[in-house]
Amino acid sequence: MRVQFDLRPASLLEKERKKSSFNVVRLVAFLLLLFFVLSNGFYIGKMTLELVVLRESVEEKQSEVLNMETQKQGLEGEINRLRAREKVFTDTLRIMQDELPTLEVLWALEDNMPEGMAASRLAFTPPRAANAPATAVLEATSENERQIIDLTTGLSMSGVFSSVVMPTSRLDEKTGRVSFTLNMDLRSMGQIRSAK
């Protein structure tokens, strides 16, 4: 068996023994350093992950804003198109309300004029005031007074006229025909309704 002697000084041996022996302070310092390194790594990783998520969220919101801008432009175009269309309808309605319903009057006369009756003149007079109705004057002849009553009743119920008045009628002794005049107040185009 070999024996070895350690010839190092005692102070050096004490230092070396202290280095290899268990030391609570050194252990606590090591544990604190390890905790610091791990917690910093955890927080750096967490912040990096949150930064990536925030960037994705920002990109998503920017994409939504671009989509909304595109939709806004599309809606503004549609609104402008609908405004132009509304203006056309408004202008058309105004023209229709201001126009005399000539065709409607002729259709009402054609529908209600009995056979044997003859019209000699039909005249239209535009309204004299803003709320006054336009008028139509019909001069005609009929075979008898019953035809005039039927015509007046039919025209009154046609929905084209607000009133139908017969101011004059005259019997022609030679021909036996009755000459008459009808004054008819017309409704505006927007107020004309179907009698059906």
Side-chain angles (χ1 to χ4, degrees):
M1 169 150 81
R2 286 177 65 190
V3 178
Q4 289 184 338
F5 294 102
D6 195 352
L7 299 176
R8 292 180 291 175
S11 62
L12 186 62
L13 288 174
E14 184 64 27
K15 279 184 182 179
E16 195 172 297
R17 187 184 62 76
K18 283 185 179 179
K19 271 186 182 176
S20 61
S21 70
F22 179 76
N23 189 343
V24 175
V25 174
R26 225 181 295 154
L27 179 65
V28 169
F30 175 76
L31 289 176
L32 284 174
L33 181 65
L34 182 66
F35 175 76
F36 176 74
V37 169
L38 290 177
S39 65
N40 277 345
F42 172 75
Y43 284 117
I44 288 172
K46 184 178 176 185
M47 290 302 127
T48 305
L49 185 63
E50 285 186 8
L51 183 63
V52 169
V53 169
L54 282 174
R55 280 186 183 156
E56 289 176 356
S57 176
V58 166
E59 288 174 2
E60 184 180 324
K61 298 299 181 195
Q62 286 175 339
S63 174
E64 287 178 10
V65 167
L66 286 174
N67 286 342
M68 291 173 103
E69 287 286 333
T70 305
Q71 289 176 354
K72 177 185 170 189
Q73 290 173 354
L75 288 173
E76 285 174 352
E78 183 67 13
I79 287 170
N80 290 335
R81 186 186 71 77
L82 289 173
R83 280 187 183 143
R85 196 162 179 200
E86 178 188 23
K87 185 179 182 321
V88 168
F89 283 133
T90 304
D91 292 344
T92 303
L93 183 60
R94 189 178 306 115
I95 289 169
M96 286 177 66
Q97 287 175 338
D98 292 342
E99 283 293 309
L100 295 175
T102 310
L103 289 176
E104 285 74 8
V105 171
L106 293 174
W107 284 332
L109 287 172
E110 181 182 357
D111 285 346
N112 293 294
M113 196 173 275
E115 195 173 323
M117 189 175 281
S120 58
R121 180 173 173 268
L122 178 62
F124 291 93
T125 306
R128 291 190 177 97
N131 293 331
T135 58
V137 177
L138 172 69
E139 294 178 4
T141 60
S142 68
E143 294 175 350
N144 55 51
E145 289 183 359
R146 182 75 221 156
Q147 286 182 330
I148 300 171
I149 293 170
D150 291 343
L151 174 66
T152 305
T153 304
L155 292 176
S156 295
M157 302 198 51
S158 68
V160 177
F161 308 101
S162 58
S163 71
V164 179
V165 178
M166 183 178 65
T168 61
S169 67
R170 190 178 79 243
L171 177 64
D172 187 347
E173 302 269 336
K174 293 180 187 173
T175 61
R177 294 185 64 84
V178 179
S179 298
F180 65 96
T181 303
L182 288 182
N183 291 341
M184 302 168 285
D185 291 337
L186 281 70
R187 296 180 191 273
S188 67
M189 285 293 282
Q191 294 176 330
I192 291 178
R193 62 186 185 286
S194 174
K196 297 175 176 115

